[in-house]
Amino acid sequence: VTPLLVLTSQSRVHAAVDHFGAGDCPAATKDALSSIRWLNVRAEPYQILAYCDLRQDRTAEAVRAMREAVRLDPHSWETSYGLALALASAGSTPTRELRRAVRQNPREVLIRDSLPGLESSSPARRRLAVREARLAVVTSGRLSIGAG
């Protein structure tokens, strides 16, 4: 039974990644949720849900999904950085999560480039930095979940 659960969940993750990479969030979300229903142990479906929620300005949902991704993969710069972006998108201060992402991958350009704006005391500068960082992260091809 376990191999069947893993195989089915994995196939749904792959489909979700493909749809996310093609910019099809409705299909990506459907497949990510299906993967979670089959086996709820991987961060990737939650990352896909969070980035699709961010694309639709559903920030509270994005924060919840990315928190779950961090819980499932706490050592990944991708989940830490994704949570920072979700928090910043929701109007919260992402400093702790950004610093964790830097510690996890100090050479990652996506993180370094966004730090000044996301940590700015200016709300207008933070909003601009959030928009730029969200676009950069999903179009960079640097996420393991694929480019969007």
Side-chain angles (χ1 to χ4, degrees):
V1 172
T2 300
L4 176 64
L5 292 174
V6 171
L7 181 62
T8 304
S9 176
Q10 184 61 34
S11 72
R12 296 294 84 215
V13 168
H14 283 302
V17 167
D18 290 344
H19 289 302
F20 180 76
D24 185 354
C25 272
T29 296
K30 179 182 171 211
D31 287 328
L33 290 170
S34 177
S35 174
I36 291 166
R37 281 191 296 273
W38 279 97
L39 193 63
N40 184 12
V41 297
R42 299 194 51 199
E44 292 88 347
Y46 289 100
Q47 288 177 272
I48 291 168
L49 292 175
Y51 283 117
C52 285
D53 285 337
L54 286 175
R55 284 181 179 171
Q56 298 171 358
D57 290 321
R58 297 171 25 170
T59 57
E61 292 88 344
V63 169
R64 279 193 295 276
M66 204 55 87
R67 283 192 193 281
E68 186 63 14
V70 169
R71 185 186 74 75
L72 291 168
D73 194 358
H75 304 291
S76 167
W77 75 267
E78 290 183 27
T79 60
S80 297
Y81 186 66
L83 179 55
L85 290 181
L87 288 168
S89 296
S92 297
T93 303
T95 302
R96 188 178 86 193
E97 290 75 16
L98 282 170
R99 295 300 170 183
R100 182 182 324 126
V102 168
R103 283 191 310 276
Q104 291 166 327
N105 190 350
R107 295 184 180 167
E108 179 53 56
V109 175
L110 288 171
I111 302 167
R112 291 284 181 194
D113 286 351
S114 65
L115 276 173
L118 292 176
E119 292 184 329
S120 172
S121 60
S122 163
R125 185 166 180 221
R126 268 196 322 272
R127 281 191 299 276
L128 177 61
V130 165
R131 280 194 304 273
E132 291 173 352
R134 283 170 44 178
L135 178 63
V137 76
V138 297
T139 60
S140 70
R142 300 190 56 85
L143 294 180
S144 63
I145 59 171

